[in-house]
Amino acid sequence: MLDLLRPTFEWIKDDFKTDKLRFCLEVIAWIISVGCSITMAITVPNPPLLALYPVWITGCAIYAWCAYSRNSFGMLANYILLTSIDTFGLIRMIL
């Protein structure tokens, strides 16, 4: 079993060595994403959107920067769009 996972572990180590800051930010953004999803699932039908929205938007912005640093246009476009849409939604919710 360990032999099957070895290439994945090597890829993770190489990614960390390539850009430690980006790697750490991607892990933080991943934790934010999962944390927001779990919080939403636990608190429906009345999730704390005013608290979750800014955290989610921050995670999307982090992912956008990481995508830019990887030269990944598809991910960059996706996360810029998500950041923009959700920022607009937050502003509408506040106003």
Side-chain angles (χ1 to χ4, degrees), residues 62-77:
I62 292 170
Y63 270 136
W65 181 86
C66 292
Y68 177 79
S69 74
R70 285 189 180 280
N71 295 319
S72 175
F73 173 74
M75 281 183 59
L76 176 61

Side-chain angles (χ1 to χ4, degrees), residues 4-22:
L4 290 174
L5 297 175
R6 191 174 317 279
T8 302
F9 291 135
E10 290 300 318
W11 178 77
I12 292 168
K13 285 188 336 189
D14 289 344
D15 192 42
F16 178 75
K17 288 177 189 174
T18 301
D19 192 329
K20 291 174 179 61
L21 175 63
R22 181 183 60 220

Side-chain angles (χ1 to χ4, degrees), residues 8-85:
T8 302
F9 291 135
E10 290 300 318
W11 178 77
I12 292 168
K13 285 188 336 189
D14 289 344
D15 192 42
F16 178 75
K17 288 177 189 174
T18 301
D19 192 329
K20 291 174 179 61
L21 175 63
R22 181 183 60 220
F23 181 89
C24 292
L25 288 174
E26 285 178 333
V27 170
I28 290 168
W30 175 67
I31 291 168
I32 287 171
S33 177
V34 171
C36 285
S37 293
I38 289 171
T39 303
M40 285 285 286
I42 291 171
T43 59
V44 290
N46 299 309
L49 290 178
L50 201 52
L52 287 178
Y53 238 157
V55 176
W56 173 259
I57 292 166
T58 301
C60 288
I62 292 170
Y63 270 136
W65 181 86
C66 292
Y68 177 79
S69 74
R70 285 189 180 280
N71 295 319
S72 175
F73 173 74
M75 281 183 59
L76 176 61
N78 183 60
Y79 282 108
I80 285 176
L81 184 59
L82 287 174
T83 301
S84 301
I85 291 168

